Amino acid sequence: GTQFAPDAPFILLGHNSNQTAATSTGDGGLLKGTPASVTPLGKLLVPAAIVAGMDVSADGRTLVAANFENDSVSICDTASRKVIREVKFFTPGGTVAQGEFPYDVAVKSNADGTAQTAYVTSQRDDMVMAVNIGDGTFTSIAVGGQPNRLVLSRDGATLYVVNGNSDSISVIDTATQTVLHTISLSRPFDKYKGANANSVALSPDGSMLYATLGYENAVAVVDLNTGHLTGRIPTGWYPTSVSVSKDGARLWVCTFKSNSGPNPGNAGPNPQNRAQRSYPLEKAQLHMIPVPGDITLANLTKQVDRNNGLANRVGSPKMAFLRNKINHVIYVVKENKTYDQVLGDLPQGNGDPTLTQYPQAVTPNHHQLAATFGILDNFYATGEVSGVGWSWSTWGNSTDYNEKTIAVNYGNGGATYDAEGASRALGVGLPQNQRLTGVLDPTGGSNIMPGTKNVDAPAGANDLDADAVGGFLWDSALRAGKTVRNWGFFVDGVYYATSLSDPSQPDPNVPFFLPLHPKPFENKMRQAVPVQPDLLDKTDLYYRGFDMNQPDQWLMDEWVRDVTAGGLPQLSLVRLPHDHFGSAGTAAAGVRTPTQQMADNDYALGRLVDWVSHSPYWADTAIFVLEDDAQAGSDHIDSHRSPAFVISPYSKRGARVAANYNTINVLRTMGDLLGTDHLGIADANAAPMVKAFSETADMTPYSAIVPGVLCGPGVDPALMPACNDPAVMKTSAVNELHDAAWWAEKTKQFDFSDADKADADEYNRVLWEGIMGSGKPYPETRSGLDLSRNRAELLRRFSGKK
């Protein structure tokens, strides 16, 4: 039918319209009904109302639900299934940040079992809201960073709150509503954070406390008699919940992920699920773990330390040598490609050419850069999708908040895309009147989230005190006195909004639209609005962010202009996004097919290396290139495997680097070269990429190769003057199966306004059909023999053995 019957066990909370429809309109979030939300563009800002945590009173008569996107809780009568009261912690127009993004709930009951107080974690505001059930009044209790799950002692006298960003547990006296003390979940004397503590449980006798550490793949064991952490128990990948059996002898632990394995059509145990992305391939698990004795716990703790790479805290002599040689690091982040998609046809590497959609003729620079500076065919993008990939790529980890909300966003949907410096689709680093809500409603009545804190930011973000720890990689660089320049990272994409009815035109409801221009600096046409506070004055305002209407050649033109004028900083942040693809009907300069856009991205990367290697900076520069994630297609080893490059005079030229590296290793290596502090436990424990480097410099410069497809029909000749230069090497033009009109028609249903808004599974199939041809079947589940070979190869590659 078209309606859900509002019957047991449903309690309708009254936020989203048409709550009983088969598919809710999902329009009931915080901004619903505000002046900003009634504009056509503002309607896109209103998220779905989502329930996060909930709890029930001891007598079962009162249920309290946290309204995650409404900054409120609903107090419900379970007998009548009615909302008694909604308690709003924050409403639009408010100026005090409190109770935002309420996540988990614990209800304290009276002696007769009736509800007395609801305790609710506020993830953005680092507080617990104590709500009086009787009258709805509330107070706030300051706790650690990004409080997550919480649990009451059996007598209700003590509340334990696990803090995801602080790696700690706040112990609260419920009689006085004050924090008694804080239990550290870090190792002794370790200043780095990032364990992602995310749930907590008590033993039946109340003497032991167990907390899951998502990043460490472990459960922390705390003796409450002493108040100290006594050890760690290893688990599967990313535990999110722990419970204790009634006799206290067993732990039940839920884990969030598993290794995805190869994804040529999702060869695996679930063949009917043919999505190419990592998320559907990663499976949740339930573990039953005996509670260990003291000796066993000591051994398990050592195992967790080994699993997490604590031995890598020791400095590397080669990195120490290179630190005296390298003074400039250029960090290039691209979008979404797997290794086999791009480099699968590179004969020197471990590729599957049958999965290669953008071969050497289309991506000659990717191929030549790999063959010249080292083939990293055992490299993996840590993030599954852009929503988490940009966290991994900019600070070497991802908050527990990010890990959970992005999975919902990419799955069932509803949660806002709180990544890349935005919260609830707003650039919170900007003043309120410059955010979209302030522009759409200048009265301030629609303003939300006071202050500049991004709910997804790591501990230490935007804190430039000399003794601060953590944050983004530019925070650490700035603390160390390094110069930083940003080209395209964390800029507000709303300024590029085009009309929903005609994507070739700006949205008429966006008075601040920033139009494209090939020479924006010369014409004083601003292209970027940065949203990260520390990058506001470090960003090239004429370098556009993610916009699939713009060719990467224009970005590279601006990068060369800006560097020539201002010099090369010690840390360069460069975004080259056109390998994401999109906007086939409207993209500028005729670069409108995926093959052309991939070639555009390829040549831009080649030009950057060409310019640097022919400049005086080459002698002391290292360029790191990676994809923020690898969700765009197939790979015969693992769905996370992606192209990556380490380009420097000290690169191990002509080598195949078989070591297992990932995004975090890149962050660790860049920090080691610059001599900056680690960002958290992830990069502190990661091995630097020593096998990618030599201690002997080779100053031979690199010359970019023109992909021939950019010299063919459709592409504006003004974009590619090198096509007419006989001195420039070019590849032969590939014969594309379809023109831009075909691609525009095939992709018209997809949203390319920001990274990953298009349905990846559907879009990957269109890409396969359009590039490989309808006569070549889309890669589906392979035979058991192929799977065995893939798994054997995967184990070999992870071991680093040849």
Side-chain angles (χ1 to χ4, degrees), residues 486-506:
N486 175 38
W487 291 274
F489 279 35
F490 285 33
V491 299
D492 198 340
V494 74
Y495 289 85
Y496 313 142
T498 56
S499 171
L500 296 177
S501 59
D502 184 359
S504 66
Q505 299 298 319

Side-chain angles (χ1 to χ4, degrees), residues 180-453:
L180 295 172
H181 60 277
T182 301
I183 301 171
S184 174
L185 298 176
S186 298
R187 292 168 179 81
F189 310 110
D190 191 357
K191 64 180 180 178
Y192 302 114
K193 306 301 179 187
N196 284 18
N198 56 27
S199 78
V200 63
L202 288 166
S203 62
D205 64 2
S207 66
M208 304 298 291
L209 183 147
Y210 303 96
T212 46
L213 307 178
Y215 178 78
E216 290 198 30
N217 303 331
V219 172
V221 181
V222 177
D223 185 340
L224 291 177
N225 294 316
T226 64
H228 295 299
L229 177 71
T230 61
R232 289 168 166 79
I233 303 170
T235 69
W237 189 0
Y238 210 93
T240 58
S241 179
V242 58
S243 302
V244 188
S245 62
K246 290 183 179 180
D247 61 4
R250 293 177 178 82
L251 303 180
W252 300 92
V253 179
C254 294
T255 53
F256 190 38
K257 304 181 182 184
S258 67
N259 289 330
S260 62
N263 69 330
N266 294 332
N270 188 12
Q272 67 271 22
N273 181 356
R274 295 175 178 174
Q276 292 281 344
R277 295 175 295 143
S278 294
Y279 271 145
L281 295 171
E282 295 174 349
K283 306 303 180 185
Q285 302 161 77
L286 177 63
H287 305 273
M288 184 185 73
I289 303 173
V291 172
D294 293 344
I295 295 176
T296 302
L297 179 60
N299 291 328
L300 291 175
T301 300
K302 292 177 183 178
Q303 181 65 54
V304 172
D305 290 351
R306 288 193 296 270
N307 293 347
N308 280 276
L310 264 71
N312 292 322
R313 295 283 181 101
V314 178
S316 160
K318 183 179 283 189
M319 286 295 106
F321 168 83
L322 292 170
R323 188 178 305 132
N324 292 321
K325 303 296 183 181
I326 301 297
N327 192 45
H328 299 90
V329 167
I330 301 174
Y331 184 34
V332 181
V333 178
K334 307 194 304 95
E335 291 279 348
N336 295 22
K337 293 294 167 280
T338 67
Y339 180 92
D340 277 342
Q341 268 188 301
V342 181
L343 297 177
D345 63 334
L346 192 66
Q348 307 96 309
N350 177 28
D352 183 345
T354 68
L355 300 175
T356 303
Q357 295 172 272
Y358 314 103
Q360 187 271 341
V362 177
T363 55
N365 292 289
H366 283 72
H367 285 72
Q368 190 60 38
L369 288 170
T372 301
F373 295 101
I375 301 170
L376 300 173
D377 61 356
N378 197 15
F379 183 90
Y380 302 83
T382 314
E384 291 86 356
V385 295
S386 291
V388 291
W390 273 91
S391 291
W392 289 107
S393 300
T394 53
W395 62 280
N397 207 330
S398 175
T399 65
D400 187 73
Y401 172 94
N402 189 243
E403 286 293 311
K404 291 173 180 173
T405 58
I406 292 298
V408 172
N409 183 292
Y410 280 69
N412 297 327
T416 54
Y417 183 79
D418 298 320
E420 299 184 53
S423 289
R424 290 184 177 144
L426 300 175
V428 289
L430 298 170
Q432 284 280 10
N433 63 351
Q434 294 180 29
R435 302 179 192 177
L436 184 54
T437 47
V439 174
L440 296 176
D441 177 18
T443 69
S446 303
N447 290 349
I448 59 175
M449 292 183 294
T452 60
K453 183 177 180 181

Side-chain angles (χ1 to χ4, degrees), residues 4-212:
F4 286 117
D7 198 359
F10 299 117
I11 300 176
L12 302 180
L13 301 183
H15 297 119
N16 295 325
S17 301
N18 302 320
Q19 295 180 91
T20 60
T23 302
S24 171
T25 50
D27 60 352
L30 185 65
L31 278 172
K32 184 177 183 179
T34 65
S37 72
V38 299
T39 65
L41 184 62
K43 290 179 181 178
L44 301 178
L45 281 180
V46 181
I50 298 174
V51 171
M54 64 183 76
D55 198 15
V56 182
S57 59
D59 63 5
R61 295 184 178 182
T62 304
L63 179 146
V64 180
N67 299 311
F68 188 67
E69 294 288 3
N70 296 74
D71 296 349
S72 68
V73 291
S74 293
I75 302 173
C76 310
D77 176 68
T78 58
S80 64
R81 302 200 303 275
K82 301 293 185 182
V83 176
I84 302 169
R85 176 184 294 111
E86 181 175 355
V87 178
K88 297 182 179 181
F89 303 130
F90 182 87
T91 56
T95 58
V96 177
Q98 60 178 11
E100 298 161 306
F101 292 95
Y103 181 67
D104 198 26
V105 181
V107 174
K108 178 181 179 180
S109 300
N110 295 304
D112 62 357
T114 57
Q116 180 192 105
T117 308
Y119 295 96
V120 187
T121 50
S122 168
Q123 295 208 297
R124 181 182 187 246
D125 301 326
D126 301 340
M127 58 181 61
V128 169
M129 312 303 291
V131 182
N132 184 304
I133 298 294
D135 59 14
T137 59
F138 58 85
T139 58
S140 62
I141 306 168
V143 291
Q146 206 176 91
N148 203 303
R149 303 285 289 278
L150 69 176
V151 66
L152 282 161
S153 60
R154 180 171 292 184
D155 61 6
T158 309
L159 179 70
Y160 300 93
V161 183
V162 62
N163 302 306
N165 271 12
S166 300
D167 295 352
S168 67
I169 293 173
S170 297
V171 182
I172 295 174
D173 181 346
T174 60
T176 62
Q177 313 286 34
T178 58
V179 176
L180 295 172
H181 60 277
T182 301
I183 301 171
S184 174
L185 298 176
S186 298
R187 292 168 179 81
F189 310 110
D190 191 357
K191 64 180 180 178
Y192 302 114
K193 306 301 179 187
N196 284 18
N198 56 27
S199 78
V200 63
L202 288 166
S203 62
D205 64 2
S207 66
M208 304 298 291
L209 183 147
Y210 303 96
T212 46

Side-chain angles (χ1 to χ4, degrees), residues 503-680:
S504 66
Q505 299 298 319
D507 191 307
N509 302 288
V510 183
F512 43 81
F513 180 80
L514 299 177
L516 277 170
H517 199 281
K519 298 184 182 299
F521 179 81
E522 293 179 15
N523 293 272
K524 296 297 179 281
M525 297 179 67
R526 181 172 177 166
Q527 298 291 293
V529 178
V531 298
Q532 200 64 27
D534 285 354
L535 295 179
L536 295 182
D537 61 348
K538 307 292 188 298
T539 300
D540 178 0
L541 302 182
Y542 298 99
Y543 190 101
R544 201 171 183 88
F546 183 97
D547 185 351
M548 289 299 95
N549 284 299
Q550 175 174 247
D552 281 350
Q553 300 311 308
W554 290 0
L555 294 177
M556 194 44 49
D557 290 344
E558 170 56 23
W559 183 84
V560 170
R561 181 210 65 78
D562 194 48
V563 172
T564 302
L568 189 68
Q570 289 165 294
L571 175 61
S572 299
L573 311 170
V574 183
R575 186 172 194 175
L576 291 176
H578 219 187
D579 61 338
H580 181 281
F581 310 155
S583 305
T586 58
V591 184
R592 295 187 171 183
T593 71
T595 297
Q596 291 170 342
Q597 291 175 352
M598 187 71 217
D600 173 47
N601 178 264
D602 174 82
Y603 188 51
L605 177 61
R607 285 180 60 194
L608 184 147
V609 179
D610 186 321
W611 189 93
V612 173
S613 69
H614 286 89
S615 77
Y617 299 110
W618 179 230
D620 66 351
T621 296
I623 304 168
F624 294 82
V625 186
L626 52 71
E627 310 284 315
D628 73 314
D629 65 72
Q631 69 156 328
S634 299
D635 189 90
H636 82 287
I637 295 295
D638 189 89
S639 67
H640 295 84
R641 196 171 70 131
S642 59
F645 306 87
V646 177
I647 301 166
S648 166
Y650 294 92
S651 294
K652 195 173 289 184
R653 289 191 177 232
R656 178 187 175 199
V657 181
N660 173 242
Y661 291 135
N662 60 44
T663 307
I664 312 171
N665 300 108
V666 170
L667 272 292
R668 167 64 188 263
T669 307
M670 291 193 297
D672 281 3
L673 292 178
L674 289 173
T676 58
D677 197 3
H678 304 309
L679 302 169

